[in-house]
Amino acid sequence: MTTHRPSYEGVLDAARQIYGVAVRTPLIESPALNAVVGGRVLMKAENLQRAGAFKFRGAYNRISRLSAEEKTRGVVAFSSGNHAQGVAAAALVGTSAIIVMPSDSPRVKVEGVIGFGGEVRLYDRWTESREAIGAAIADERGSVLVPPFDDPFIIEGQGTVALEMLDQADTPMDQLLCGASGGGLMAGINLVMAERSPQTKVIVVEPEAYDDTARSLSAGERVGHPEGAPSICDALMSPMPGALTWPINRRLAGAVTVSDAEVAEAVRFAFRHLKLVVEPGGAVSLAALLSGKSETRGRTTGIVLSGGNIDAALYGEIVEGRFRG
């Protein structure tokens, strides 16, 4: 495939590419949440996306562009789960997929990959390199490597989230909050907002121990974070912003972090008041609002509920108030 730089025009093309396959998820509003934060909150419910997360958008945008010859060789990807399930949907375009996943991935995500027809290769996230394993498999099998965020088609596919939000919103957004791991979704959002709504402040939300984007913004260059304890936000544990995503995300207006306890409260709030199942990594923006990490009074805030794939056991602990983060 032709290599190109991620762009707003590419996001528009991605919207055409995924039309009719990806779900146009709703932009919802909750009087209960508005009352709590003292402003309007518009929530993009990507937990209702195909495969349960926004990742399907980028994965399909990338895989659907494979040539007939590339499809015969299959694809390989590395992911904690949501990108994995998106890539496993490669069966939709007639190719196979092998996914390199951490051995501590939530069971629901592993089962999701297998359910889509994907092959799973587990690894130890603390002692092994998923990039090295993925590259070795690609070399051995001749498969096409589909990275979770550092690919222009992935970034542009994720950017369709922001396109839809702007089309669905009945008012301009003062700010937009979104979680980030390697920054693919955030980069796609930034491409769109810079073109269509530059007055909207775009703010990244990260788990406390995985604040590499915040550290990079502070340092003025791409840096990682110290090796931290595991987080319930398994989808947001990338060690460093992507090489392609970081130059785009340098325009971020700010960064905030949230604790596991604050994230658990957001997951519980979504269950009780929004009637939605949202996984921890998908609830960090909601957690930032509920914990007062971002000013919301008198403002219109957009957030992305980016995924809904969570193990039943952990979900039960959280919604029943037994989780201690």
Side-chain angles (χ1 to χ4, degrees), residues 55 130 149 179-184 204-206 210 212-213 234-242:
K55 290 283 192 177
R130 64 181 191 175
F149 46 82
S181 182
V204 67
V205 185
E206 298 175 295
Y210 295 89
D212 44 283
T213 303
D234 62 279
L236 304 182
M237 294 170 64
S238 177
M240 182 181 293

Side-chain angles (χ1 to χ4, degrees), residues 202-239:
V202 183
I203 300 169
V204 67
V205 185
E206 298 175 295
E208 285 180 339
Y210 295 89
D211 60 343
D212 44 283
T213 303
R215 290 171 179 270
S216 297
L217 289 171
S218 179
E221 61 181 351
R222 188 167 68 110
V223 299
H225 53 72
E227 185 172 313
S231 168
I232 58 171
C233 301
D234 62 279
L236 304 182
M237 294 170 64
S238 177

Side-chain angles (χ1 to χ4, degrees), residues 9 19 27 39 60 81 143 152-153 188-190 215 218 233 244 269 274 284 310 312:
E9 291 72 22
Y19 179 79
L27 188 68
Y60 186 82
S143 303
F153 292 109
I189 287 174
N190 270 319
R215 290 171 179 270
S218 179
C233 301
L244 283 181
F269 185 96
L274 308 181
V284 291
I310 179 173

Side-chain angles (χ1 to χ4, degrees), residues 15 23 80 84 100 114 153 195 277 315:
V23 176
S80 67
V100 181
I114 296 171
F153 292 109
E195 185 73 24
V277 176
Y315 193 60

Side-chain angles (χ1 to χ4, degrees), residues 233-315:
C233 301
D234 62 279
L236 304 182
M237 294 170 64
S238 177
M240 182 181 293
L244 283 181
T245 62
W246 166 244
I248 301 170
N249 290 333
R250 290 175 67 100
R251 76 175 294 271
L252 283 163
V256 298
T257 61
V258 288
S259 68
D260 275 6
E262 290 166 339
V263 170
E265 180 54 39
V267 171
R268 189 159 46 246
F269 185 96
F271 168 75
R272 292 177 176 173
H273 300 285
L274 308 181
K275 310 307 176 185
L276 291 174
V277 176
V278 185
E279 67 181 272
V284 291
S285 297
L286 179 59
L289 302 191
L290 293 173
S291 60
K293 300 291 180 67
S294 182
E295 180 56 54
T296 54
R297 190 160 299 278
R299 300 182 182 183
T300 298
T301 301
I303 67 172
V304 182
L305 303 176
S306 55
N309 296 307
I310 179 173
D311 271 340
L314 174 60
Y315 193 60

Side-chain angles (χ1 to χ4, degrees), residues 133-175:
I133 295 171
I137 293 172
D139 287 342
E140 177 186 345
R141 302 191 179 193
S143 303
V144 177
L145 187 63
V146 180
F149 46 82
D150 253 350
D151 180 282
F153 292 109
I154 297 289
I155 293 169
E156 290 164 348
Q158 319 305 28
T160 60
V161 169
L163 278 183
E164 291 179 13
M165 291 182 75
L166 291 175
D167 289 343
Q168 293 167 318
D170 61 358
T171 185
M173 289 179 282
D174 297 303
Q175 56 186 358

